[in-house]
Amino acid sequence: MAQRDFDVVVIGAGPGGYVAAIRAAQLGLSVAIVERENLGGICLNWGCIPTKALLRSSEVFHLMHRAKEFGLKADAISFDLGAVVKRSRGVAAQLSGGIGHLMKKNKITVVMGEATLPAKGKVSVKTAKGVEDLSARNIVLATGARARELPGLEADGDLVWTYRHALQPVRMPKKLLVIGSGAIGIEFASFYNTLGAETTVVEVMDRILPVEDAEIGAFAKKQFVKQGMTILEKAGVKQLDRGKGKVTAHIEKDGKIEKIDFDTVISAVGIVGNVEGLGLEGLGVKIDRTHVVVDEYCRTGVEGLFAIGDIAGAPWLAHKASHEGVMVAELIAGQHPHPVRPDAIAGCTYCQPQIASVGLTEAKAREAGHDIKVGKFPFIGNGKAIALGEAEGMIKTIFDAKTGELLGAHMVGAEVTELIQGYVIGRTLETTEVELMNTVFPHPTLSEMMHESVLDAYGRALHF
């Protein structure tokens, strides 16, 4: 097959890769994208999107049980797990099809298969029909990441699951162990716990949700415990004995090992970059702990080779990958984009209650040497939250006492994953407390708490 030449070849069609391809095509470049599995990548097919569809079902189920509070009647409430999963897969399929349409619309050549980089500027793709050779002046690596598997805790799809198995469960867990309390672990713990699984979360660090502000994590933990979850911090799963229909977990805490039986285990202990089998070492690409080392513009140090998204390191977020994709496409086209600032990227966890944050935690702000002002406002002081029946939550803002710079914002409660963007814009615009205080927030909305939290940092809160 004759070699085909492009301005840009993107490897991986997840939220980083497909967005990089679209932006490059918009800028008049000839583009090919290589994908070995599904357009849309993990996020769209096996991650962000289908998990949110599942969590929406569990949220509605939870609300149905609260019908009486709202003056409503709902009897004999139940769920059909197969139908819940089917809806989730349908949402993912609809969006994956949409990516195919966007590729066609932007005249991007899609090559389905496994890519390797035999030499600088060359991509060899093993497809169902044979090998296809592509060449490009610029190559963008967007191969993403996969679930980390610890020795002895490997998934088998029956008793021990990764996120993929948890998205298409073979049964409803009765007694569930979730190993790891980052966003993925907590979201699945929340989903299955809401549907009635007796859920235990084990976290090796001294607190759950370790990347979040400690106060927000502690608030969330209290809510999870109230919902019936067992949370074990500073604990580790040493081994899993797999039997017929059950797993015996050896859980170490405070120097003692306790053996507890579960029927299902979900392992959510982080991710590993997909760097193998691409031929990167031969090109001189530096790899550090399964991630490609890049500069602030996602350049690998090898001319014409970029790496974006999960393969390029933390934060492992789809929106970070997409933004890096746009930046790299613009750089290739000769424009002068701003580098992506990790400290201005929000993190969102869609458990109940939701958690969202941007910028520095209180501890990190102090560590960085800032003299700070901290404001807080509880959901119980907000009319809209009470009307929604969602009075559990809080918003916390952190400012530099000398300059008024918004250093960080942290939230836990209903719909905070939607609210956080206000503070993200604030950080991007380098706003200070003065602009935020002078902004008129609509009433009655949850967003008013964002205003009150800022006011509280300066001793001016009105409703608490």
Side-chain angles (χ1 to χ4, degrees), residues 189-262:
S190 189
F191 172 71
Y192 283 110
N193 188 71
T194 301
L195 292 188
E198 189 186 324
T199 305
T200 299
V201 177
V202 170
E203 171 55 58
V204 74
M205 305 290 276
D206 60 356
R207 57 195 183 85
I208 62 162
L209 298 156
V211 302
E212 298 296 342
D213 185 87
E215 200 172 354
I216 297 294
F219 187 101
K221 179 188 172 182
K222 214 178 269 181
Q223 298 303 310
F224 299 149
V225 170
K226 206 191 269 185
Q227 291 162 17
M229 277 191 218
T230 300
I231 309 273
L232 301 175
E233 294 159 326
K234 281 202 277 194
V237 178
K238 293 297 160 195
Q239 75 181 71
L240 295 174
D241 299 336
R242 301 166 204 231
K244 197 171 184 321
K246 72 165 187 174
V247 182
T248 304
H250 297 235
I251 300 172
E252 184 178 22
K253 184 166 166 62
D254 303 327
K256 297 190 193 90
I257 288 192
E258 191 180 354
K259 295 181 188 178
I260 308 174
D261 289 344
F262 297 92

Side-chain angles (χ1 to χ4, degrees), residues 317 319-320 323 341 343-348 350 354-359 395 397 406 408-411 414-431 436 439 441 446-447 450:
L317 299 165
H319 42 290
K320 173 245 196 192
H323 216 79
R341 283 172 49 202
D343 66 348
I345 297 171
C348 297
Y350 298 78
Q354 292 181 6
I355 296 157
S357 58
V358 65
I395 291 182
T397 43
L406 174 66
H410 308 273
M411 310 176 168
E415 303 306 333
V416 296
T417 56
E418 297 292 340
L419 294 178
I420 193 67
Q421 187 58 12
Y423 287 134
V424 175
I425 292 167
R427 274 184 66 69
T428 302
L429 295 176
E430 298 180 351
T431 191
L436 290 168
T439 300
F441 287 74
L446 297 175
S447 71
M450 297 165 68

Side-chain angles (χ1 to χ4, degrees), residues 440-457:
V440 181
F441 287 74
H443 174 79
T445 63
L446 297 175
S447 71
E448 291 174 276
M449 294 184 284
M450 297 165 68
H451 193 219
E452 290 276 8
S453 179
V454 173
L455 292 171
D456 183 58

Side-chain angles (χ1 to χ4, degrees), residues 232-314:
L232 301 175
E233 294 159 326
K234 281 202 277 194
V237 178
K238 293 297 160 195
Q239 75 181 71
L240 295 174
D241 299 336
R242 301 166 204 231
K244 197 171 184 321
K246 72 165 187 174
V247 182
T248 304
H250 297 235
I251 300 172
E252 184 178 22
K253 184 166 166 62
D254 303 327
K256 297 190 193 90
I257 288 192
E258 191 180 354
K259 295 181 188 178
I260 308 174
D261 289 344
F262 297 92
D263 63 43
T264 313
V265 177
I266 296 175
S267 177
V269 289
I271 61 170
V272 178
N274 293 323
V275 290
E276 309 88 346
L278 290 161
L280 300 182
E281 295 83 351
L283 293 173
V285 174
K286 286 195 192 77
I287 293 168
D288 177 29
R289 288 167 295 177
T290 81
H291 296 285
V292 173
V293 178
V294 294
D295 69 5
E296 62 180 348
Y297 287 103
C298 294
R299 295 178 291 216
T300 63
V302 174
E303 194 195 347
L305 184 63
F306 301 83
I308 63 172
D310 287 356
I311 195 182

